[in-house]
Amino acid sequence: QEFLQLASTDAPPFGNHLRQLLWDLKQHPELATAFTAIVSASQPIPLQSDYGFKLLSMGLVNLEGNNYSPKCNLYRQYFSTHLDEIN
């Protein structure tokens, strides 16, 4: 239970990884905006193909047909709160 509570925070074991991804998104606000739309959606959504490709290359999303969803629930939880810092 404690592990699950800490997983989507800046604390170990995933904090460094999550902060690095957040920093990468801060360098590319257009990707941050696209990823915000993905983590906010309840279903996979379409994206401009170059944004989708870049997010897929970063390991942040899954591609389902032509639609994108967060790679994991941890990303949805963490970035749904931390992307507000960028947008």
Side-chain angles (χ1 to χ4, degrees), residues 47-72:
L47 281 184
Q48 187 174 325
S49 63
D50 56 334
Y51 294 163
F53 173 75
K54 289 176 184 177
L55 292 170
L56 192 62
S57 296
M58 293 172 72
L60 289 169
V61 296
N62 287 320
L63 177 61
E64 302 170 29
N66 290 324
N67 298 315
Y68 296 86
S69 62
K71 185 79 167 182
C72 59

Side-chain angles (χ1 to χ4, degrees), residues 3-23 26 74 77-79 81-83 85:
F3 175 77
L4 294 176
Q5 290 174 340
L6 289 175
S8 64
T9 70
D10 289 332
F14 301 117
N16 288 339
H17 172 70
L18 295 170
R19 281 192 308 278
Q20 179 64 50
L21 289 171
L22 182 63
W23 186 86
K26 284 182 179 182
L74 172 63
Q77 290 173 350
Y78 181 82
F79 290 107
T81 58
H82 287 80
L83 285 172
E85 300 172 13

